[in-house]
Amino acid sequence: MTFMEHLPALQVVVPMLSAPLIVLLQPRGLAWAGATAAGLASFAIAIALAMAVLDGQTQVYAMGGWAAPYGIALEVDAFSALVLLLVTGAGAAALLAARVSVDRQIEPERQPLFYAAWLLGLAGLAGIVVSADAFNIFVFMEISSLASYILIAGGPDRRALPAVFKYLIMGTIGATFYLIGVGLIYMMTGTLNLADMQARIGDVVALNPILVAAGFITIGLALKAAVFPLHVWLPNAYTHAPHMVTVFLAACATKVALYVLIRFDSMVFQDRLSDHEFQFTLFALPLAVLGILVASSVAMFEGHLKRLLATSSVAQIGYILLGASFVSEAGITASAMHMFNHALAKGGLFLAVACLAFHFRDLRLSELGGAARRMPLTCAALVVCGLSLIGVPGTAGFISKWLLITAALESGLWGWSLVAVILVSSLMAVVYIWRIVEALYFQQASAEGDTSFAEAPLQLLLVTWAVALLNIFFGLFPHLPLALANGSAALLVGGAP
Amino acid sequence: MIPETAILTAICLPLAGALAIAVAGRISPNLREATTLLTAAALIWVVWGLLPTLMAGGRPAVEVSEVMPGLTIAFRVEPLGMLFAALASGLWLINSVYSIGYMRGNKEKNQTRFYVCFALALAATMGVAFAGNLFTLFLFYEVLTLSTYPLVSHKGDEATVRSARVYLGVLLCTSIGLFLPAIIWTYMAAGTGDFVHGGILAGKLEGPAIGLLLGLFVFGIGKAAVMPVHRWLPAAMVAPTPVSALLHAVAVVKAGVFAITKIIVYVFGIDFLFATPSSGWLLYMAAFTIITASLVALRQTNIKRLLAYSTIAQLSYVVMAAATLKPLAEVGAAIHMVAHAFGKITLFFAAGAIYVASKKTEIHQLRGIGRRMPWTMTAFTIGALSMIGVPPTAGFVSKWYILAGAFEAENLVAVFTIIASTVLNAAYFLPILYMAWFEREEAGAKAHGEAPFAAVLALCITALLTLAFFLFNGPVIELESQVVRALPL
Amino acid sequence: MKLLELLGYYNYWVFAVVLTVGLYAVIRKRNLIKKLIGLSIFQSAVFLLYITMDKVEGGTAPIIQKGVPDQVFSNPLPQVLILTAIVVGVSTLALGLAMVVRIKESYGTIEEHEILGAD
């Protein structure tokens, strides 16, 4: 086998094996460097994989040489490649920028363990994406979840602890639901391999257990993905987590759960359960619409910068689910694109927040007066990413809005009302982003506050600006993610092999 | 320069200028302003260099990137866009001269940011003017909105921020809420969004849907300030006067009416729309806006707000002319953009000059000011006469064409509206002129002279242009006639 | 007959009851430790489900013996799976308890409503 063929396995193995090595690297600078190297390596692997599957091929890797369905298979197709790109990209970018911010928030002696947990989280998320085996997905899901509980609770903010506890309870319930669903399917089909499941589910006579399984899996994953109204764990967890952890998790963690959800619903169930499309739409569409509208309205009145952005994430998850709920090629394309674009926009926004946190201990909007004068570059990057979140043309966010609206219009009679929902929520995004802008640019600095020029450390600022510029780049040249998203859609609903 | 290169240069030049201005601003104000003037002059050279090609019937086009299949960033120069670009670039230079006088005279803060954003706004304006399809137009339309926000909120105090919020809110809400769905609808119905002679929608849509789509476009393009989406324009008057002058009398509002005209001509096609009864409402809406805005203007006491409402009315002239759907009226629409631009920029320059010299902002304070500022008030008078449409000013030419188009369409509502609004225009401008020239200054008023030389120079040039356009409008009319004449595209 | 058939699925009933008991405890209990106990019970229910499905009547351990043809095996795979799931469950529980310890350290209580009141 050539090196290229091992890439799907290396995608998981590199960060996973680096984690224990990091713990051994006691000097904290070295731990950071090691973790970043591992993060960049996984990103490079993801890019190589994306290039390899661009033409519609699927990279299959049989663990230990045992072919599926007996062995555990890893598979990378266009959809997984896209999600891998954003997971490892977010991981690598956040790690690159992390050093200075983590130094301030994590005690030096705990840093090697912190970075190890980070890499385990990365390995878990990547593992979910490359697995072609339902149970394996569960295991990786729990690895990534356990790692992210640790990461979120790792900061100095004690409010993170109850938030993590809530996340842990809800996350475990979600994972267990998923496990029940997988068990039921295994009972009826005798296989755990996703492709095999898809093939064998056609022979199942008694469909009730499959239906129950679909329910358990959908709800379990919706919990993990923070789909409204199962999102209650998310805002507090993201708000009180260390800033760099928020960057990493907000960019990709929930999207991976959505990835599994979309994959299961459109590959395994859709073929067999009659009316499954209809049921899925009936379940997902109202939740998506409610999530978009309710979360956006809450964000409009939120006073804490980080929680505002976290709440907006719930709305954005609604967009992704909305696209998926059309169960059409256009819908899945829009959904996959929005995963990518939202990761860019939200990642950039939280990076800018991490920059701001260097000089503003309190991140409530009312305390951010004069920020633009002190940190003009940070604030400008934040505005660029904010525009992308709104979906202004020329930014990445616009591409997914366009695709989503096109998909909604294609979906028939309801299309126009959904377009209205998307547009109204975009306007709500204008409101909450502009509240931030006005707070940063026009609010009077508090009397005792320092008003001198004081930008964030260069390393952090560079990464922030790189992400901000990527938001514009992918708004003008979205060809790579778009090709992968189109490939995903063809794969999932278009009937392509 | 090859026309294709010139298009891209016209857009990149102000961008590069913005960068250079930002750098120069750190070194010295003189260097910064020299950079601005130099960029503006270079832009004129580039844009006006395209004129001969256009006059000869050439339609240079260039495609930059295919963002998504069918969705491209592409530019194509045609007579309407050429006129708009030539106008905006030409007035930018004059405006920069004026800005230097105004900003220095007023000792404004953050001048570098001001000049940088101004250059960015001009880049966006060039993009709007040369856009070859709806998507490109929308892209630069939004860039224009965003790049002018810092200009409107320049002062940064609470009242300004609130007005700027109205400005941005109305423009973004209308464009995202209405313009964007209209564009997507067009792309889905026609399969393309390219600007094509004769339109792309004929046969693709029918019945009331056409009227609805037209409505989405017209109200989605909030910059055209057709009532009821005009609120941002008076709000934007909190900006420094050069901003009001160039952007809110020339670039921004003109981008709005220009976009509407372009969409009517190149997306719908005038023949197609004329045959569609459901599109008739636009003309009445525009007529309503003209009359109402003029009535509101009558009651204004602040000079800039009066000019703002006058602008709203004048913009709807263009919309109404475009909606008349007759060749002569379309030419009238294009010419009125130019005529109004010359007149209104003169008026704003004069209002700004008065503010710099005397800090006066209200109309009743203008008694006898003609003696103190004869140059400024002469220019103001010429501008006001052009607004009313009195020969020998530019306003007369365009009104002539619009009226001719209205007669051609046998549309009495349009004819009546033009006559009524001319009377109203006279009713709110003539008292000001009378007050300024013939009434006596209040006792105890502070003595003051003219505004800084740069400002006076600029407003005299625009006043002269207003007069000159009455005499030398041949090339413009010839160019714009190409819009309605079938030409190879 | 119908009733008997339903009762015949008694292990599934046990699964459902244990699952519900666990879930109830997680939702209802205010004490964080009790919540974790509930979570454990909840997860145990799933272990029961998996063990149930692998049982083949008369089946033995899946070890091939010489001279015994056509042996009936219980399905070994779910047992393997559930071993993994138990490991995952134990780790989650351990982490949860660690969180409780840290919550106790910084808030001085492990009652949910008191913690919520504290910030």
Side-chain angles (χ1 to χ4, degrees):
Chain A
M1 279 175 121
T2 64
F3 178 68
M4 277 301 284
E5 288 166 21
H6 286 289
L7 285 182
L10 285 175
Q11 184 76 82
V12 185
V13 169
V14 167
M16 189 169 270
L17 289 188
S18 310
L21 290 179
I22 298 293
V23 181
L24 299 176
L25 293 173
Q26 270 308 322
R28 63 197 160 92
L30 225 69
W32 169 77
T36 308
L40 286 174
S42 347
F43 188 40
I45 295 171
I47 292 176
L49 279 171
M51 292 305 159
V53 300
L54 253 185
D55 52 357
Q57 277 187 332
T58 303
Q59 291 253 333
V60 185
Y61 185 83
M63 268 324 239
W66 297 87
Y70 304 106
I72 294 173
L74 304 182
E75 267 182 39
V76 178
D77 54 29
F79 195 24
S80 12
L82 183 72
V83 180
L84 274 181
L85 269 185
L86 72 92
V87 168
T88 56
L95 274 171
L96 259 183
R99 192 174 60 89
V100 270
S101 184
V102 168
D103 276 351
R104 282 169 64 110
Q105 291 197 300
I106 317 280
E107 298 90 333
E109 64 276 12
R110 288 204 295 123
Q111 280 190 15
L113 288 168
F114 177 81
Y115 285 119
W118 186 307
L119 286 181
L120 284 179
L122 186 60
L125 291 171
I128 298 173
V129 182
V130 294
S131 288
D133 180 287
F135 191 81
N136 218 16
I137 289 178
F138 164 77
V139 175
F140 279 124
M141 197 148 62
E142 283 313 83
I143 292 178
S144 70
S145 295
L146 287 173
S148 48
Y149 304 147
I150 296 169
L151 290 175
I152 294 173
D157 190 344
R158 74 165 183 174
R159 286 168 296 181
L161 297 171
V164 163
F165 191 82
K166 193 187 230 175
Y167 183 15
L168 184 139
I169 296 279
M170 296 191 73
T172 308
I173 292 177
T176 310
F177 269 26
Y178 172 78
L179 193 59
I180 295 173
V182 170
L184 288 171
I185 298 183
Y186 177 71
M187 211 157 77
M188 303 312 291
T189 60
T191 182
L192 288 169
N193 184 288
L194 286 180
D196 208 27
M197 250 181 214
Q198 190 183 12
R200 289 206 205 171
I201 215 164
D203 303 330
V204 176
V205 183
L207 278 178
N208 277 347
I210 303 287
L211 203 61
V212 175
F216 270 116
I217 288 179
T218 311
I219 292 181
L221 290 170
L223 252 170
K224 284 264 177 198
V227 169
F228 180 87
L230 306 172
H231 66 280
V232 285
W233 58 266
L234 186 142
N236 271 339
Y238 284 8
T239 307
H240 302 304
H243 303 303
M244 294 321 291
V245 173
T246 312
V247 173
F248 176 43
L249 295 182
C252 61
T254 55
K255 291 178 192 74
V256 170
L258 275 172
Y259 160 86
V260 181
L261 180 66
I262 293 173
R263 180 145 278 222
F264 244 101
D265 272 292
S266 51
M267 278 183 74
V268 177
F269 299 133
Q270 201 189 50
D271 290 346
R272 186 63 183 100
L273 294 180
S274 55
D275 292 339
H276 178 68
E277 285 181 22
F278 178 69
Q279 284 173 352
F280 183 64
T281 308
L282 208 63
F283 168 80
L285 196 120
L287 291 190
V289 169
L290 274 176
I292 292 172
L293 293 178
V294 174
S296 300
S297 345
V298 173
M300 287 201 306
F301 297 99
E302 180 54 60
H304 187 283
L305 178 57
K306 262 180 109 177
R307 190 179 285 115
L308 187 157
L309 294 175
T311 314
S312 126
S313 279
V314 178
Q316 304 289 327
I317 290 162
Y319 283 126
I320 301 173
L321 192 65
L322 181 69
S325 74
F326 296 142
V327 201
S328 66
E329 259 194 270
I332 301 278
T333 309
S335 202
M337 271 312 268
H338 199 59
M339 282 189 190
F340 185 84
N341 292 336
H342 175 244
L344 275 179
K346 207 39 88 50
L349 281 167
F350 275 121
L351 275 167
V353 170
C355 293
L356 281 175
F358 264 84
H359 297 300
F360 295 86
R361 195 159 285 279
D362 190 343
L363 285 172
R364 279 176 302 171
L365 292 180
S366 53
E367 304 299 314
L368 291 175
R373 205 161 284 277
R374 298 198 64 192
M375 313 177 78
L377 293 170
T378 301
C379 291
L382 194 143
V383 171
V384 171
C385 298
L387 293 177
S388 180
L389 192 71
I390 295 171
V392 170
T395 61
F398 177 74
I399 304 290
S400 38
K401 285 264 158 74
W402 177 284
L403 289 169
L404 208 54
I405 292 177
T406 318
L409 285 179
E410 269 182 16
S411 77
L413 205 62
W414 282 97
W416 277 103
S417 50
L418 293 176
V419 171
V421 168
I422 297 168
L423 295 172
V424 165
S425 73
S426 301
L427 298 179
M428 289 174 168
V430 174
V431 173
Y432 59 73
I433 292 295
W434 230 258
R435 281 186 61 216
I436 302 177
V437 171
E438 285 188 1
L440 295 178
Y441 282 84
F442 298 116
Q443 196 169 270
Q444 287 302 314
S446 54
E448 74 275 18
D450 191 359
T451 54
S452 57
F453 177 85
E455 260 305 347
L458 187 65
Q459 194 181 9
L460 186 52
L461 200 62
L462 276 180
V463 177
T464 311
W465 261 101
V467 175
L469 291 179
L470 278 182
N471 268 300
I472 293 179
F473 177 80
F474 283 114
L476 298 177
F477 307 97
H479 307 112
L480 171 72
L482 196 63
L484 291 172
N486 278 327
S488 324
L491 211 68
L492 292 175
V493 290
Chain B
M1 201 183 293
I2 313 166
E4 282 73 19
T5 330
I7 298 174
L8 296 180
T9 318
I11 291 154
C12 297
L13 193 67
L15 283 182
L19 209 64
I21 292 165
V23 175
R26 297 195 172 255
I27 302 166
S28 93
N30 286 335
L31 186 64
R32 174 187 69 206
E33 275 129 4
T35 318
T36 304
L37 291 177
L38 206 67
T39 316
L43 185 67
I44 291 183
W45 179 71
V46 171
V47 171
W48 291 40
L50 279 166
L51 268 170
T53 320
L54 264 284
M55 288 299 226
R59 297 287 182 271
V62 56
E63 188 181 310
V64 178
S65 142
E66 183 166 35
V67 175
M68 282 186 274
L71 205 62
T72 54
I73 297 180
F75 302 101
R76 211 178 117 260
V77 189
E78 42 69 56
L80 278 173
M82 184 65 236
L83 186 66
F84 182 38
L87 184 68
S89 61
L91 290 181
W92 186 31
L93 181 63
I94 302 171
N95 189 282
S96 300
V97 175
Y98 179 81
S99 297
I100 294 167
Y102 181 92
M103 299 300 276
R104 289 192 172 182
N106 252 349
K107 303 191 177 58
E108 297 269 353
K109 284 185 291 183
N110 295 328
Q111 291 196 20
T112 304
R113 184 180 76 193
F114 172 87
Y115 288 110
V116 168
C117 289
F118 223 121
L120 289 179
L122 253 292
T125 308
M126 292 301 126
V128 169
F130 291 149
N133 56 37
L134 279 172
F135 170 65
T136 315
L137 179 73
F138 186 58
L139 173 69
F140 286 99
Y141 180 93
E142 294 293 49
V143 175
L144 184 57
T145 307
L146 293 169
S147 61
T148 48
Y149 174 78
L151 293 171
V152 174
S153 60
H154 186 82
K155 236 186 214 164
D157 58 12
E158 204 163 312
T160 312
V161 171
R162 211 174 308 124
S163 296
R165 199 183 297 157
V166 173
Y167 174 76
L168 191 83
V170 172
L171 289 185
L172 274 189
C173 285
T174 51
S175 63
I176 294 180
L178 304 170
F179 195 13
L180 178 60
I183 292 174
I184 296 183
W185 189 2
T186 308
Y187 269 92
M188 291 194 71
T192 171
D194 291 350
F195 293 127
V196 174
H197 197 89
I200 52 175
L201 281 170
K204 305 281 171 50
L205 276 182
E206 50 189 32
I210 301 167
L212 185 64
L213 181 61
L214 186 65
L216 285 178
F217 273 124
V218 170
F219 296 116
I221 301 175
K223 290 199 172 96
V226 175
M227 282 181 179
V229 290
H230 65 285
R231 289 290 303 275
W232 64 271
L233 223 172
M237 290 304 142
V238 295
T241 308
V243 176
S244 307
L246 182 66
L247 296 173
H248 303 302
V250 182
V252 175
V253 294
K254 290 294 145 57
V257 290
F258 165 75
I260 289 185
T261 314
K262 202 157 171 173
I263 285 166
I264 286 179
V265 176
Y266 294 121
V267 173
F268 287 98
I270 54 173
D271 296 330
F272 172 59
L273 266 193
F274 194 72
T276 311
S278 67
S279 63
W281 61 269
L282 178 57
L283 190 139
Y284 301 110
M285 199 65 219
F288 171 78
T289 305
I290 295 175
I291 302 290
T292 316
S294 303
L295 286 173
V296 177
L298 266 179
R299 305 192 43 211
Q300 296 303 316
T301 54
N302 177 294
I303 308 170
K304 278 177 80 175
R305 286 185 72 85
L306 177 129
L307 294 180
Y309 277 101
S310 154
T311 302
I312 295 173
Q314 299 283 333
L315 290 175
S316 278
Y317 265 83
V318 181
V319 176
M320 189 176 80
T324 307
L325 304 172
K326 282 290 170 196
L328 274 180
E330 302 301 331
V331 175
I335 299 173
H336 195 65
M337 278 191 230
V338 183
H340 173 245
F342 288 154
K344 196 45 74 57
I345 201 170
T346 310
L347 288 170
F348 270 115
F349 280 174
I354 292 169
Y355 176 70
V356 173
S358 67
K359 299 290 172 211
K360 285 175 182 169
T361 57
E362 303 302 309
I363 292 168
H364 69 86
Q365 298 171 322
L366 295 184
R367 288 202 175 84
I369 202 164
R371 312 233 173 100
R372 294 213 178 268
M373 307 179 72
W375 289 99
T376 305
M377 284 320 287
T378 309
F380 188 93
T381 308
I382 295 172
L385 293 178
S386 177
M387 287 302 122
I388 303 169
V390 180
T393 59
F396 175 76
V397 185
S398 55
K399 264 192 185 166
W400 178 272
Y401 273 89
I402 296 175
L403 210 51
F407 275 117
E408 192 187 0
E410 294 175 351
N411 194 319
L412 289 179
V413 175
V415 175
F416 171 78
T417 308
I418 294 167
I419 295 168
S421 89
T422 306
V423 173
L424 285 170
N425 284 345
Y428 59 80
F429 274 121
L430 292 182
I432 301 177
L433 300 182
Y434 179 81
M435 216 187 269
W437 290 112
F438 302 112
E439 284 197 18
R440 227 161 236 297
E441 196 171 355
E442 283 159 39
K446 241 174 45 194
H448 61 84
E450 282 282 5
F453 173 72
V456 178
L457 175 70
L459 63 89
C460 287
I461 294 175
T462 54
L464 279 178
L465 283 173
T466 312
L467 294 175
F469 189 74
F470 176 77
L471 301 171
F472 310 107
N473 51 31
V476 177
I477 291 172
E478 190 188 323
L479 179 67
E480 293 315 304
S481 308
Q482 291 183 8
V483 176
V484 284
R485 215 184 301 135
L487 267 181
L489 282 150
Chain C
M1 181 59 207
K2 194 78 180 168
L3 185 70
L4 278 180
E5 199 174 290
L6 278 177
L7 284 178
Y9 290 124
Y10 70 91
N11 29 13
Y12 292 98
W13 288 109
V14 172
F15 154 70
V17 168
V18 174
L19 190 81
T20 326
V21 168
L23 204 54
Y24 174 82
V26 172
I27 296 167
R28 193 72 185 84
K29 291 296 166 190
R30 292 288 176 79
N31 184 305
L32 298 186
I33 299 276
K34 289 183 182 169
K35 267 181 185 290
L36 284 177
I37 294 173
L39 197 67
S40 262
I41 297 174
F42 176 71
Q43 287 181 304
S44 312
V46 187
F47 307 159
L48 282 180
L49 174 74
Y50 272 73
I51 300 300
T52 293
M53 75 171 92
D54 81 336
K55 177 68 185 165
V56 177
E57 218 152 306
T60 64
I63 302 166
I64 297 174
Q65 289 170 291
K66 260 187 190 160
V68 189
D70 300 334
Q71 272 182 303
V72 183
F73 297 135
S74 283
N75 186 351
L77 187 65
Q79 306 202 2
V80 176
L81 297 182
I82 225 55
L83 267 179
T84 317
I86 288 171
V87 173
V88 169
V90 169
S91 335
T92 312
L93 188 63
L95 188 66
L97 287 171
M99 289 300 155
V100 176
V101 170
R102 284 199 53 197
I103 288 175
K104 172 75 177 170
E105 279 171 6
S106 41
Y107 285 84
T109 175
I110 54 168
E111 294 296 321
E112 196 179 29
H113 54 282
E114 288 174 22
I115 296 165
L116 291 178
D119 284 314

